Structures are given as structure tokens and as C-alpha cells.
């Protein structure tokens, strides 16, 4: 992944200017060495954009970039000792500085003297690193690299634009009508015989979208008595398929302990003598013996029942015994151009750019009719209407001629991204195919690995992460699965996932895809998810190859879990992210405290976890601690206040109250989630000390009766969610209090029967609110009387843009405490607006 070298050097230069490094300079007199190192890195950084573009044609440049990257992030063996990388050295400095902040009142003890002695050794290694960099810097002269080449900048995604128009199946009307005609035919077998209609096509041909359009067609609804949509797992399993069908037919069905015979009897009773349509979306692997059981288990269905399957592999259709395999061809040139134009321009604006349309037609021709390619490149070139060179770059790129094994157009859209976006995108290769991830988790993973690059002083890392995520989404690299503002769940299309794996090269290894013996020694991010239980006898050989792993993700490791974790802690001392999802530990090993570089510890939904070792509070660098769903966790660590770098905390515990001088001392905290705490009766009174807190969520705490008064003084708070706590009352207060919340962008109050009125301190945020939701609060009255500015602002915009709706919505919604979305979020000016655009 040599394309992201520039995204590595930026943070290194920032660290070279940090106070921790300045302290080492003063103590050990290495200022000249560090200044020389910084100067050389700055000179190299100026020509990186040119080098990264030339590497596709010049092997020598690619090798030089690899050397530079190894210098920054990979160790080198010399006389049986690892020479630390510059990244590691600077990280050691920062870690020592954090420890000093915790012990700032102590005298210069022997322990501190030892720490400074170790810093001296690290500073000596800095001199050796300087010599290595000097040799790398001298090599660049022969490549004639220019400092006038600049990488592409982020293009902000338009606020009002979504890709709804492109989700329509352009050019598929004929295919849709033919399939519906086949579905309505009843001459393809008798009762109990189910015909299978496969929709076959390569990734990105919109097989799923076509199937959805057919599934929701009124003629199909009228023809079939039962319809079932199944999103298929990687490997077809008959028992799971049966359970999914029953669940779809009756969402309230309870069958966790049912035998296969019980499932079969129940399923037959539901479909007997009924004309049924089953859609099995995204079938990848099917064993003949499994598939052959299906007709018997669905026996008794009425004549004319059908199964639609979407898949890529034509071979599978022979197993299914299908009569009507339906190959989904690529789009015609005309339909391709229509889809591309819809993504690249606002409606009708293409007429203003005839020169770009000429180039666009050539780009469409090279896309070969693949809808995903058109959508991706069209989205990429949106807002570049004054940058003809970018359009020409896409058209003329030599990547079209390369046999990369992935869709060339997707590779181009990757190549056009800024280097810091490339690094963040490539990191997503660590997830398995079809994995769903939230914006919160992904941004924290990026932050923990140092991928977020601030552009100005005091800029919030989470804010930058959201900007990165929006840009990747606008380029069609991510699809939204679900949204509950401001939480968004994403996944990657299969082709995009293939692209991420391709560009990450050996940086990441997802062991659900690759066997352990295939891991490269240069792997830095590894994951093992629940579909693959690594045999214990394979682990030693696998992990012994690795030394500089930064991310470890695991889920349901089973018998290998304890050995795997102990080995990771012992070998990967510079680990940044450790995810143990649904682990079986009741107590983590105390050795976890030795991971002093750890930024992210993710232990969610570990049902046996009762205690965290005291050593976890030694993790001074820890920025994210996730303990949600740990229902047996007795309490948070007593010395959690020492985790002074913590930015994200999500907790589920059994304690009745949180201790004072605990969470309230975490002044770096940005996000605090407290959920499913069944015994919690009160929080902590020093909550107002969380001056950096942006998001506060409290949910499903049935015994929680009150919140601390200090909640109204959280000056930085932007999002407040409180829900499903039947005893909870909100603290009162006057709206004119000088420290009342004034930056709040959204609040959600749900399932709060004791909520009678909204607290007046919310009035301070009337000018900043963008979205509110109130639901399940039956005793709430005069909900909007306390937010006159908010109400008048919405009404004013609606009266100007949609006067009829303004009156209707004010009457129907504002008086009944439904969801109201502010105009900043909607941004639908100048378009035909439906009622749902204003109210959800």
C-alpha cells in the first residue's frame, strides 16, 4: 500500500513538533538530529504526490516508496535487535509525556529516572534512524521528482443530494417485464414443485436492485399469497434458511429450541396450498445435498410458486436444476450514459458543459455497461465541472489497460482520492464481506491508528473522521444499511470490498477469507470473525511471522480465544486496536496493561466478563473503551480517572451508581454511552466537568430516577439521547443560566413516561438544533412551547418554500410532539418536496 506514504509522513511531522519531543530534545541534546530529520521529511513530503503518481509506471519509484514506508512504520533487524521505527520512537515520547501528566505531583523517583534512561536509549535510536533517512533522501534525486504536483483535495458532498435517482433501475424495464411474466406462469410444474429463476450477473450489475423492484411490483403482490425475502449468508444452510423463512412469515415466532422436524412441520403448515414467492438474494455457495432438501421442506405449496435467486456463479444454477437462468447483461450505451449523467450532474445541468459530456461519453464507453462503475465514476466527478483535467485523467488513465482482477473504473476512483482517504479506505479491508459497521466504530478505528490528519489547530478528530466518511460515501464506496441520526450503519458492495483488499495488499489479513498460513510478515491489521474458528495448532506458526501488528479484531473465537489473546499481548506490544467481540472471558489477563500504545479496547457483548484488571488503568494512551452489552460487568475500574486520554466510553455495568472522581475526571471524553445498566440508580455529580463531551446517550436504565443537575452545563454537548428509562425525570433549570447548553444539534427523548415537560435549559440551543425526536412520552404536554425560536425558524422556511405544507405540518406535527427536522438537515430547497421530507 505504497500509495499512502504521504498520509503517514504528515502525522510524523506533527509529532516531531510536539511538546513530548521537545522535552527529549532539551534533556538529551538531540535537537540538531531531530531538526535534520524533520527537514528531510519535509523535503521528501513535497515530492510524494509526484512519486505516488509515477509509481504505476516506474518500478524503481515504487521500490523507493516502499523503503520510505518501511522506514516510517516497519522495523529492521540489526545484530539480533529491532531498530524501532520513527513512528515507534515518537510514540514512546508521547507515552512518557502522558505518564508524566498522571504523576506530575511526584518527585523525581527512581522509576522516573529509569524512564528517562529509556528515553535516552530511544533518542540514540533516533540518530540511527536519521542515517537511514539520509540514504533514502539521497536516492530520490535520480527520479527527477517534482514538488509542483499536488494530490486531489476532498470535494465536500452536497448536503441536499442523495443517490435515490440512481437507485432506479435504468435500462432494466425489459428484464423486469420478462421476469414478472415468468413468475405469473403456472405451467411449469404441479403442486409442490417450485421453479427457480436465477438472476445472474457480475458484481455491480444491480441484480439485487432488480429483484427488489420485481418483489415490490403490484402485479407480483397480487399474484402471490406469501412473499419472503432472504438475504443469504456466505454458505447456504438449510436449517438457517428454514428459520429465516418462518421468521419472515411470522415475525413473532419463537423457535430457538426447535428441532429440524419441528421447523419442517411448522414451515409446511404455513405455506401449504399457498402460492409463494421466495427471493434468495446473493447466493454464493450451495452444496447439492443441502439444496435438494429444499423442495421437500417446502412441499405442499400451491402450483405456480417460485424462487428467485441472485448470484454471480453460473455453476450454482446446475445444482439448483433451474429451467430459466436469466443472465443480466450490462447496460446499453444509451442507458449507461443516462445513469452516468444522473450521478455527475444536477438535473439538466449537463447541457451547460458540452465539453465534459464529450469526455463523459468516452468514459462511459470504457465502463463496459457496468452500473456500479457508472455510478462510482459519476459520483466521483460531481462538483468537478470546472476541473476538466480531472475528467481527462479518468478518461486517459492507463489503469484501464491493466489486468487487476477488479473493475478498473473502481481502481481509478481510488487513485483519484487524497492519500489520507486511501489509507482509511484500505483499512476497511479488515472487515469480512457483507460486514456492517457503524460510523462511530470506524471513525474510532481510524483515530486509533493515526489516520486522521488535522488541518488546523484544535480541530476535532471526530469531525475530520465524519468528513472522511462522507467523502467515501459520496464516492459510492459505502452503502447505508440503516440510519438513526446521528448513528449510521454502513456496508461495502462486494466489488468495493474486493477493491479494498486489492489496495491494502499485505497490510491487512481477514482470516475469514485467507487461511492462517497465507499471512504475510508485513501484515499490520488482522481479523478473525465468527465464521472461522482458527485451530489452536495453526496459531503459533501463524502469529510467529508477525511483529508489528497494529489492529487485532476477533469475534467468537471459541477454544482458541485464550491462547490467541495471550500470544497477541506478548508479541504485539505496539498494538493500537484490540477488538474482542462476544468473547468468553470472565477476567482479562492482567498483562493487558503492558500494551501501553493501545488506543482502542473493544469488549462489547462479552456475556461472561465480570471484572477488568487493575492494570487496564495503566493504558494512558487509550482513547476508546467499549463495554456495551457486558451485562455481568460488576463495575468500572476504580482508577478509570487515570485514563486521561479517553475520548469514547460505552459502558454496561451492574453497579448502582458510578463513583465520584471517576468518569467525571475524563476531561478528554467526547462520547459517553451508558446503556442496559439494570441496577443503576444515579450517575455521577461531577458530570459538568466533562467540558469536551459532544455526545451523551443514556438508554434502558429502568431504575435510574434522575440525572445530575450538571447535565445542563455541558457546554460542548451536540447530541443528547435519553430513552427507555421509565422512572427517569429530567433536571429542571432556567433557560437564562449562563452555562446552559448552547451547541445542541439534536435530542431524542423516547420511552420516558415520567417526562411531563421539556426542561427550560433546552431553550439555549433553539438556534442550533437541527433535529429532535420525541416518542413514547405519553405524559408530555406543551412540548414545543419552550422552543419558540426553533418553531418560528422552521415555519419561516416552510412558508417561504412550501406554504401549503407549512400550515399542514404545523397543525399535524408541531402540536403533537412528533419528529421535526430542521432546514439545515433537509436542505431540499428548489426541489419538489413531499411531506416526509419535513417529518419522519
Amino acid at each position: 500500500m505504497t500509495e499512502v506514504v504521504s498520509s503517514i509522513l504528515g502525522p510524523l511531522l506533527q509529532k516531531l513538533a510536539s511538546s513530548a519531543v521537545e522535552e527529549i530534545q532539551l534533556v538529551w541534546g538531540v535537537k540538531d538530529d531531530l531538526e535534520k530529520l524533520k527537514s528531510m521529511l519535509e523535503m521528501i513530503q513535497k515530492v510524494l504526490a509526484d512519486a505516488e503518481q509515477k509509481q504505476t509506471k516506474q518500478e524503481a519509484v515504487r521500490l523507493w516508496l516502499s523503503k520510505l514506508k518501511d522506514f516510517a512504520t516497519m522495523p529492521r533487524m540489526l545484530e539480533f535487535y529491532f531498530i524501532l521505527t520513527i513512528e515507534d520512537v515518537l510514540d514512546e515520547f508521547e507515552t512518557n509525556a502522558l505518564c508524566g501528566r498522571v504523576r506530575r505531583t511526584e518527585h523525581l523517583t527512581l522509576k522516573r529516572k529509569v524512564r528517562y534512561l529509556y528515553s535516552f536509549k530511544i533518542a540514540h535510536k533516533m540518530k540511527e534512524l536519521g542515517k537511514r533517512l539520509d540514504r533514502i533522501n539521497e536516492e530520490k534525486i535520480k527520479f527527477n521528482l517534482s514538488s509542483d504536483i499536488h494530490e486531489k483535495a476532498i470535494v465536500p458532498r452536497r448536503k441536499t443530494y442523495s443517490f435515490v435517482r440512481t437507485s432506479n433501475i435504468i435500462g432494466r424495464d425489459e428484464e423486469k417485464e420478462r421476469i414478472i411474466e415468468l413468475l405469473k406462469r403456472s405451467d411449469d410444474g404441479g403442486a409442490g414443485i417450485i421453479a427457480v429463476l436465477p438472476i445472474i450477473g457480475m458484481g455491480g450489475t444491480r441484480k439485487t436492485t432488480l429483484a427488489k423492484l420485481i418483489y415490490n411490483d403490484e402485479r407480483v403482490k397480487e399474484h402471490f399469497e406469501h412473499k419472503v425475502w432472504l438475504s443469504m449468508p456466505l454458505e447456504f444452510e438449510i436449517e438457517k434458511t428454514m428459520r429465516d423463512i418462518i421468521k419472515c412469515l411470522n415475525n413473532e415466532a419463537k423457535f430457538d429450541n426447535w428441532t429440524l422436524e419441528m421447523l419442517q412441520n411448522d414451515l409446511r403448515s404455513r405455506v401449504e396450498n399457498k402460492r409463494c414467492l421466495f427471493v434468495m438474494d446473493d447466493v454464493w455457495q450451495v452444496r447439492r445435498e443441502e439444496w435438494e432438501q429444499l423442495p421437500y421442506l417446502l412441499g405442499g405449496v400451491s402450483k405456480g410458486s417460485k424462487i428467485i435467486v441472485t448470484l454471480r456463479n453460473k455453476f450454482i444454477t446446475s445444482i439448483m436444476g433451474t429451467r430459466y437462468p436469466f443472465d443480466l447483461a450490462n447496460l446499453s450505451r444509451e442507458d449507461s450514459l443516462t445513469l452516468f449523467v444522473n450521478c455527475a450532474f444536477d438535473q439538466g445541468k449537463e447541457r451547460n458543459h458540452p465539453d465534459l459530456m464529450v469526455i463523459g461519453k468516452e468514459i462511459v464507453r470504457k465502463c463496459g455497461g457496468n452500473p456500479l462503475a457508472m455510478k462510482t465514476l459519476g459520483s466521483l466527478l460531481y462538483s468537478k465541472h470546472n476541473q476538466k483535467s480531472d475528467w481527462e485523467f479518468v478518461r486517459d488513465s492507463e489503469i484501464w489497460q491493466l489486468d487487476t482482477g477488479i473493475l478498473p473504473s473502481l481502481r481509478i476512483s481510488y487513485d483519484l482520492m487524497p492519500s489520507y482517504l486511501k489509507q482509511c479506505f484500505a483499512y476497511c479491508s479488515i472487515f469480512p464481506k457483507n460486514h456492517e459497521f457503524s460510523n462511530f466504530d470506524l471513525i474510532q478505528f481510524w483515530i486509533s491508528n493515526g489516520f486522521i490528519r488535522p488541518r488546523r489547530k484544535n480541530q476535532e478528530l471526530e469531525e475530520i473522521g465524519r468528513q472522511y466518511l462522507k467523502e467515501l460515501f459520496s464516492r459510492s464506496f459505502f452503502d447505508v444499511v440503516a440510519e438513526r441520526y446521528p448513528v449510521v450503519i454502513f456496508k461495502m458492495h462486494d466489488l468495493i470490498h474486493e477493491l479494498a483488499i486489492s489496495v491494502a495488499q499485505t497490510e491487512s489479513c481477514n482470516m475469514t477469507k485467507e487461511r492462517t498460513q497465507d499471512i504475510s510478515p508485513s501484515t499490520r491489521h488482522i481479523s478473525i470473525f465468527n465464521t472461522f474458528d482458527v485451530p489452536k495448532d495453526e496459531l503459533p506458526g501463524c502469529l510467529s511471522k508477525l511483529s508489528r501488528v497494529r489492529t487485532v479484531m476477533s469475534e467468537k473465537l471459541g477454544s482458541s480465544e485464550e491462547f490467541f489473546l495471550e500470544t497477541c499481548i506478548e508479541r504485539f506490544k505496539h498494538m493500537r486496536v484490540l477488538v474482542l467481540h462476544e468473547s468468553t472471558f470472565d477476567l482479562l489477563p492482567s498483562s493487558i496493561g503492558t500494551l501501553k500504545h493501545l488506543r482502542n479496547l473493544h469488549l462489547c457483548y462479552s456475556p461472561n466478563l465480570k471484572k477488568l484488571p487493575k492494570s487496564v488503568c495503566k493504558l494512558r494512551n487509550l482513547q476508546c473503551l467499549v463495554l456495551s452489552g457486558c451485562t455481568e460487568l460488576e463495575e468500572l475500574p476504580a482508577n478509570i480517572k487515570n485514563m486521561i486520554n479517553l475520548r469514547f466510553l460505552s459502558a454496561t455495568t451492574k453497579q448502582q451508581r458510578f463513583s465520584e472522581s471517576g468518569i467525571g475526571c475524563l476531561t478528554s471524553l467526547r462520547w459517553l454511552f451508558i446503556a442496559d445498566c439494570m441496577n443503576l440508580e444515579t450517575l455521577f455529580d461531577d458530570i459538568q466537568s466533562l467540558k469536551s463531551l459532544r455526545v451523551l446517550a443514556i438508554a434502558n436504565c429502568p431504575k435510574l430516577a434522575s440525572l445530575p443537575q450538571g447535565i445542563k452545563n455541558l457546554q460542548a454537548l451536540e447530541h443528547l439521547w435519553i430513552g427507555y428509562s421509565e422512572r427517569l425525570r429530567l433536571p429542571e433549570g432556567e433557560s437564562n443560566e449562563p452555562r446552559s447548553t448552547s451547541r445542541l444539534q439534536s435530542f431524542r427523548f423516547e420511552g420516558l413516561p415520567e417526562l411531563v415537560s421539556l426542561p427550560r435549559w433546552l431553550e439555549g440551543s433553539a438556534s442550533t438544533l437541527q433535529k429532535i425526536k420525541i416518542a413514547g412520552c405519553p405524559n408530555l404536554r406543551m412540548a414545543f412551547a419552550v422552543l419558540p425560536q426553533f418553531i418560528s425558524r422552521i415555519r419561516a422556511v416552510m412558508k417561504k418554500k412550501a406554504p401549503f405544507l407549512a400550515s399542514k405540518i404545523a397543525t399535524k406535527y408541531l402540536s403533537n410532539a412528533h419528529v421535526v427536522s430542521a432546514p439545515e438537515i433537509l436542505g431540499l430547497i428548489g426541489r419538489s418536496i413531499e411531506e416526509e421530507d419535513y417529518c419522519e
Side-chain angles (χ1 to χ4, degrees):
M1 197 169 59
T2 51
E3 298 92 336
V4 298
V5 175
S6 54
S7 65
I8 297 172
L9 295 195
L12 290 182
L13 285 168
Q14 291 179 352
K15 286 187 177 183
L16 279 169
S18 69
S19 58
V21 175
E22 289 178 357
E23 178 183 350
I24 298 297
Q25 289 181 175
L26 295 174
V27 173
W28 297 113
V30 294
K31 183 175 182 179
D32 291 342
D33 295 292
L34 289 171
E35 286 295 330
K36 182 180 178 182
L37 198 64
K38 183 179 177 183
S39 177
M40 280 192 290
L41 285 174
E42 288 174 341
M43 287 189 293
I44 292 173
Q45 191 181 41
K46 291 179 180 179
V47 299
L48 275 183
D50 190 25
E52 288 174 351
Q53 290 186 23
K54 287 181 177 177
Q55 67 168 323
T56 58
K57 302 178 183 179
Q58 300 182 29
E59 177 70 17
V61 177
R62 182 158 59 250
L63 292 174
W64 179 75
L65 284 171
S66 296
K67 289 182 183 179
L68 183 59
K69 183 186 172 190
D70 288 346
F71 162 79
T73 61
M74 293 295 293
R76 183 168 64 95
M77 287 294 292
L78 181 65
E79 297 175 357
F80 306 106
Y81 293 98
F82 276 117
I83 294 181
L84 292 175
T85 69
I86 184 172
E87 184 182 33
D88 294 333
V89 171
L90 298 178
D91 214 24
E92 294 282 352
F93 290 169
E94 290 188 336
T95 300
N96 282 347
L98 283 173
C99 292
R101 285 174 57 191
V102 175
R103 301 186 179 93
R104 60 183 177 274
T105 58
E106 297 179 3
H107 296 291
L108 187 61
T109 61
L110 176 61
K111 193 171 185 179
R112 291 188 69 189
K113 290 179 181 178
V114 171
R115 189 166 68 251
Y116 274 111
L117 179 60
Y118 181 63
S119 296
F120 170 72
K121 293 180 179 179
I122 297 295
H124 178 68
K125 297 297 182 185
M126 184 73 80
K127 292 177 180 291
E128 297 180 8
L129 288 170
K131 294 177 182 177
R132 286 181 60 195
L133 183 61
D134 195 25
R135 291 193 293 270
I136 294 172
N137 187 42
E138 288 176 358
E139 284 186 41
K140 81 174 193 303
I141 299 174
K142 60 185 178 184
F143 302 127
N144 296 319
L145 299 175
S146 171
S147 60
D148 294 329
I149 307 299
H150 303 287
E151 66 180 15
K152 308 295 180 182
I154 279 188
V155 180
R157 183 173 180 264
R158 51 187 147 174
K159 296 179 180 179
T160 64
Y161 187 75
S162 68
F163 295 106
V164 174
R165 286 178 294 159
T166 65
S167 68
N168 296 329
I169 306 179
I170 296 175
R172 298 302 188 197
D173 290 341
E174 182 179 346
E175 290 92 334
K176 171 191 165 186
E177 293 302 320
R178 286 171 58 194
I179 294 176
I180 290 178
E181 181 182 348
L182 290 173
L183 290 178
K184 294 172 66 176
R185 289 175 57 177
S186 300
D187 60 346
D188 47 10
I193 303 300
I194 306 177
V196 180
L197 302 177
I199 300 177
I200 307 167
M202 67 172 293
T205 52
R206 315 305 281 175
K207 300 180 296 293
T208 298
T209 312
L210 176 58
K212 286 182 178 180
L213 194 63
I214 294 167
Y215 185 83
N216 293 307
D217 189 274
E218 289 299 325
R219 292 165 293 176
V220 173
K221 291 180 180 179
E222 293 173 3
H223 185 73
F224 293 99
E225 296 168 81
H226 284 322
K227 294 192 309 167
V228 174
W229 181 281
L230 301 173
S231 182
M232 302 303 289
L234 183 64
E235 189 165 321
F236 180 88
E237 296 177 349
I238 191 65
E239 184 173 337
K240 184 181 186 307
T241 301
M242 291 171 62
R243 292 179 183 275
D244 289 345
I245 293 174
I246 294 173
K247 195 70 175 177
C248 189
L249 293 172
N250 181 7
N251 192 46
E252 297 179 1
K254 305 293 183 183
F255 43 73
D256 293 343
N257 299 318
W258 285 12
T259 64
L260 188 61
E261 180 68 21
M262 296 168 68
L263 287 170
Q264 178 183 354
N265 291 335
D266 183 85
L267 179 56
R268 283 196 175 193
S269 68
R270 296 181 188 279
V271 301
E272 190 172 10
N273 298 321
K274 300 287 197 308
R275 188 186 292 126
C276 302
L277 173 65
F278 303 92
V279 177
M280 298 182 177
D281 182 49
D282 202 20
V283 175
W284 279 80
Q285 298 180 35
V286 175
R287 294 192 300 271
R288 184 181 297 276
E289 58 270 25
E290 287 269 330
W291 183 264
E292 288 178 347
Q293 297 180 52
L294 192 62
Y296 297 102
L297 296 174
L298 296 176
V301 294
S302 177
K303 183 178 181 180
S305 295
K306 301 288 195 306
I307 297 175
I308 292 177
V309 293
T310 67
L311 68 165
R312 298 188 190 184
N313 190 345
K314 292 184 180 182
F315 175 76
I316 295 177
T317 62
S318 64
I319 295 175
M320 295 176 174
T322 60
R323 295 179 59 186
Y324 307 107
F326 196 94
D327 284 321
L328 198 60
N330 286 326
L331 294 180
S332 67
R333 187 73 59 83
E334 180 181 355
D335 290 329
S336 296
L337 184 60
T338 300
L339 179 56
F340 176 87
V341 168
N342 282 356
C343 294
F345 298 94
D346 286 323
Q347 188 172 9
K349 298 295 184 182
E350 70 274 13
R351 302 187 190 94
N352 301 331
H353 302 279
D355 55 335
L356 297 184
M357 282 297 296
V358 172
I359 301 173
K361 289 178 181 178
E362 297 179 55
I363 293 173
V364 166
R365 178 178 56 82
K366 292 187 174 185
C367 284
N370 186 280
L372 183 59
M374 256 79 69
K375 178 181 174 183
T376 303
L377 291 181
S379 301
L380 170 73
L381 294 171
Y382 178 84
S383 290
K384 294 180 179 286
H385 301 159
N386 296 322
Q387 301 174 46
K388 185 178 179 181
S389 59
D390 285 332
W391 288 62
E392 292 172 337
F393 177 84
V394 171
R395 179 196 63 191
D396 300 331
S397 176
E398 292 187 3
I399 199 70
W400 293 101
Q401 283 79 47
L402 299 181
D403 183 13
T404 61
I406 60 173
L407 201 64
S409 58
L410 298 182
R411 176 68 198 218
I412 290 179
S413 59
Y414 168 82
D415 288 339
L416 278 176
M417 289 197 298
S419 57
Y420 43 88
L421 271 188
K422 290 178 180 178
Q423 190 174 31
C424 291
F425 169 70
Y427 183 80
C428 297
S429 64
I430 195 173
F431 300 124
K433 187 176 74 74
N434 290 326
H435 182 77
E436 297 180 359
F437 48 88
S438 75
N439 52 344
F440 281 178
D441 285 343
L442 185 57
I443 290 172
Q444 285 301 312
F445 293 152
W446 287 344
I447 292 174
S448 299
N449 277 285
F451 296 161
I452 303 296
R453 184 194 303 180
R455 290 189 168 188
R456 60 178 185 273
K457 190 176 181 181
N458 299 325
Q459 190 176 13
E460 284 292 307
L461 297 178
E462 289 79 8
E463 176 189 343
I464 304 170
R466 288 193 295 271
Q467 184 184 0
Y468 288 5
L469 197 55
K470 286 180 180 178
E471 174 63 7
L472 288 170
F473 175 70
S474 73
R475 294 171 184 262
S476 302
F477 281 175
F478 296 150
D479 292 325
V480 173
V481 176
E483 181 175 4
R484 196 176 185 194
Y485 182 81
V487 178
V488 183
I489 306 298
F490 295 95
K491 67 185 296 187
M492 289 186 288
H493 185 279
D494 293 344
L495 269 181
I496 301 297
H497 187 255
E498 295 282 346
L499 174 65
I501 292 174
S502 173
V503 299
Q505 298 175 17
T506 59
E507 284 277 314
S508 301
C509 178
N510 179 350
M511 295 188 197
T512 59
K513 185 176 181 65
E514 302 177 41
R515 300 295 297 180
T516 52
Q517 60 264 30
D518 296 328
I519 295 181
S520 166
S522 62
T523 300
R524 294 166 62 84
H525 311 291
I526 61 175
S527 65
I528 308 176
F529 282 80
N530 60 329
T531 55
F532 183 67
D533 193 1
V534 181
K536 184 180 290 188
D537 59 353
E538 288 189 22
L539 279 175
C542 160
L543 299 178
S544 64
K545 301 177 183 179
L546 309 176
S547 61
R548 275 303 187 260
V549 170
R550 298 303 173 92
T551 300
V552 174
M553 291 187 186
S554 69
E555 182 180 276
K556 297 180 181 178
L557 283 187
S559 61
S560 303
E561 186 173 62
E562 184 176 353
F563 175 81
F564 179 75
L565 179 58
E566 290 177 352
T567 305
C568 288
I569 292 175
E570 180 182 351
R571 289 195 59 83
F572 309 143
K573 294 300 183 183
H574 289 78
M575 196 189 318
R576 303 299 202 270
V577 175
L578 176 58
V579 178
L580 302 173
H581 191 265
E582 297 187 54
S583 71
T584 59
F585 290 103
D586 54 4
L587 176 65
L588 292 179
S590 59
S591 57
I592 199 166
T594 63
L595 299 176
K596 59 183 178 179
H597 300 280
L598 195 66
R599 264 71 167 176
N600 193 311
L601 181 58
H602 209 287
L603 302 170
C604 64
Y605 299 106
S606 299
N608 301 326
L609 187 64
K610 295 179 179 179
K611 225 175 166 184
L612 293 176
K614 293 180 180 179
S615 61
V616 78
C617 295
K618 295 180 180 179
L619 302 174
R620 313 291 190 214
N621 272 310
L622 200 68
Q623 299 175 350
C624 178
L625 178 60
V626 180
L627 302 168
S628 53
C630 299
T631 52
E632 294 300 313
L633 185 63
E634 295 172 1
E635 61 180 1
L636 294 178
N639 289 326
I640 195 172
K641 64 181 180 182
N642 290 338
M643 304 171 97
I644 57 176
N645 224 19
L646 210 61
R647 303 173 70 92
F648 184 109
L649 175 62
S650 176
T652 299
T653 77
K654 297 175 69 174
Q655 59 199 112
Q656 292 183 330
R657 73 169 290 146
F658 296 113
S659 61
E660 300 301 320
S661 299
I663 297 177
C665 296
L666 303 176
T667 55
S668 296
L669 206 63
R670 265 65 173 177
W671 296 340
L672 176 59
F673 289 68
I674 298 172
D676 304 315
C677 298
M678 298 305 176
N679 301 322
L680 190 65
E681 297 177 357
T682 183
L683 294 181
F684 46 96
D685 291 334
D686 52 350
I687 193 172
Q688 69 273 5
S689 300
L690 303 178
K691 298 185 183 301
S692 299
L693 195 67
R694 264 59 173 182
V695 178
L696 174 61
I698 302 169
N700 198 24
C701 299
K703 295 184 179 180
L704 186 63
S706 63
L707 298 178
Q709 288 289 327
I711 193 173
K712 60 193 178 189
N713 297 325
L714 295 173
Q715 297 172 311
L717 195 67
E718 296 174 353
H719 304 287
L720 175 64
W721 318 328
I722 303 177
Y724 308 104
S725 303
E726 51 262 33
R727 298 185 185 180
L728 186 60
R729 290 176 176 266
L730 299 184
E732 296 296 330
E734 296 300 324
S735 63
N736 58 358
E737 292 185 19
R739 291 187 295 169
S740 291
T741 56
S742 58
R743 296 175 57 180
L744 204 64
Q745 297 176 19
S746 78
F747 68 77
R748 302 173 69 101
F749 297 148
E750 301 177 73
L752 302 175
E754 292 296 316
L755 184 63
V756 177
S757 62
L758 296 183
R760 296 190 62 84
W761 45 269
L762 285 175
E763 286 189 28
S765 57
S767 61
T768 59
L769 274 170
Q770 297 179 353
K771 183 172 283 193
I772 68 176
K773 180 173 184 178
I774 303 172
C777 303
N779 297 313
L780 180 63
R781 55 182 183 272
M782 299 183 67
F784 294 94
V786 297
L787 299 174
Q789 295 179 46
F790 182 55
I791 298 302
S792 61
R793 192 156 52 95
I794 288 183
R795 282 177 172 162
V797 171
M798 285 196 297
K799 284 180 180 179
K800 183 177 180 181
K801 301 298 177 184
F804 172 75
L805 286 177
S807 174
K808 183 177 179 181
I809 293 173
T811 301
K812 182 177 179 180
Y813 291 94
L814 300 187
S815 60
N816 290 296
H818 281 254
V819 182
V820 178
S821 300
E824 287 80 3
I825 292 294
L826 298 173
L828 297 170
I829 296 174
R831 294 177 53 190
S832 175
I833 302 173
E834 299 293 333
E835 183 175 308
E836 305 86 73
D837 290 331
Y838 285 109
C839 303
E840 298 176 340

